[in-house]
Amino acid sequence: AQTVTQSQPEMSVQEAETVTLSCTYDTSESDYYLFWYKQPPSRQMILVIRQEAYKQQNATENRFSVNFQKAAKSFSLKISDSQLGDAAMYFCAYRSAGGGSEKLVFGKGTKLTVNP
Amino acid sequence: EAQVTQNPRYLITVTGKKLTVTCSQNMNHEYMSWYRQDPGLGLRQIYYSMNVEVTDKGDVPEGYKVSRKEKRNFPLILESPSPNQTSLYFCASSLAYRGWQDEAFFGQGTRLTVV
């Protein structure tokens, strides 16, 4: 079974600074997808960024980028120029690519605080 | 607007009183699932459905039931709720068998308290 580990229960960053959230995962599969979700106080789950395992190029979405290290099974999220609205719980998630499996396996989450 | 709608958003109930949390999606998605979110545990899958009349257990199915009589609806049933089912519940839907296009859409969440 796949597992996802987020080793930082809480992180904080100063507004306008850069912060990196860590995520590691364990799988025996070679093809899969990885995601970062943001959950603000409204509780809504918002997809921030995603990465296909067979793509070597790291995904980027505006101020959000990932560092995907397939061999190390690492998938960290970098937030640049942090804004107050980035304060939220962040979840790393894994999904198998084959067999029609749509199940998301989540990490335990990292609570990000942004200080003004 | 594409969306997944859960109701209610908040619910307080007593132990043993049957309840249903509804979930409806308007995107014609085949795959629907329920997750529960607990502090320090992240989200865990309870049940899922690949299509109408096709359901299966996720990782934490004990104490829950589901049904999928229509493609758009996937209710979560707690026949005899207990305090350990106090949690935040999410319904999610996605296309199936389309690889990269299978983005999951989540409902707004249901905060359930069982006393």
Side-chain angles (χ1 to χ4, degrees), chain A residues 49-97:
Chain A
I49 199 166
R50 56 187 170 187
Q51 175 81 38
E52 299 169 71
Y54 59 85
K55 285 189 176 178
Q56 293 186 335
Q57 186 174 5
N58 289 326
T60 62
E61 289 285 345
N62 300 314
R63 297 183 294 107
F64 297 87
S65 62
V66 298
N67 183 3
F68 173 49
Q69 302 289 328
K70 190 173 184 179
K73 297 180 181 175
S74 172
F75 183 61
S76 61
L77 174 70
K78 185 171 81 172
I79 306 174
S80 303
D81 185 25
S82 297
Q83 301 175 0
L84 294 178
D86 295 333
M89 184 71 81
Y90 286 82
F91 291 99
C92 180
Y94 171 104
R95 199 188 88 210
S96 297

Side-chain angles (χ1 to χ4, degrees), chain B residues 29-86:
Chain B
H29 286 167
E30 295 96 348
Y31 188 89
M32 297 186 74
S33 61
W34 279 100
Y35 294 85
R36 63 177 288 173
Q37 180 182 348
D38 302 290
L41 296 178
L43 285 82
R44 296 174 291 166
Q45 192 183 57
I46 302 170
Y47 267 95
Y48 67 95
S49 169
M50 293 298 293
N51 215 322
V52 176
E53 302 292 2
V54 181
T55 63
D56 207 348
K57 298 176 181 178
D59 296 320
V60 287
E62 292 76 22
Y64 305 95
K65 283 177 59 177
V66 293
S67 68
R68 187 93 180 270
K69 293 183 170 57
E70 303 167 285
K71 197 172 186 179
R72 64 183 293 123
N73 296 322
F74 190 47
L76 179 69
I77 304 157
L78 286 72
E79 298 227 329
S80 184
S82 62
N84 64 13
Q85 293 178 296
T86 292

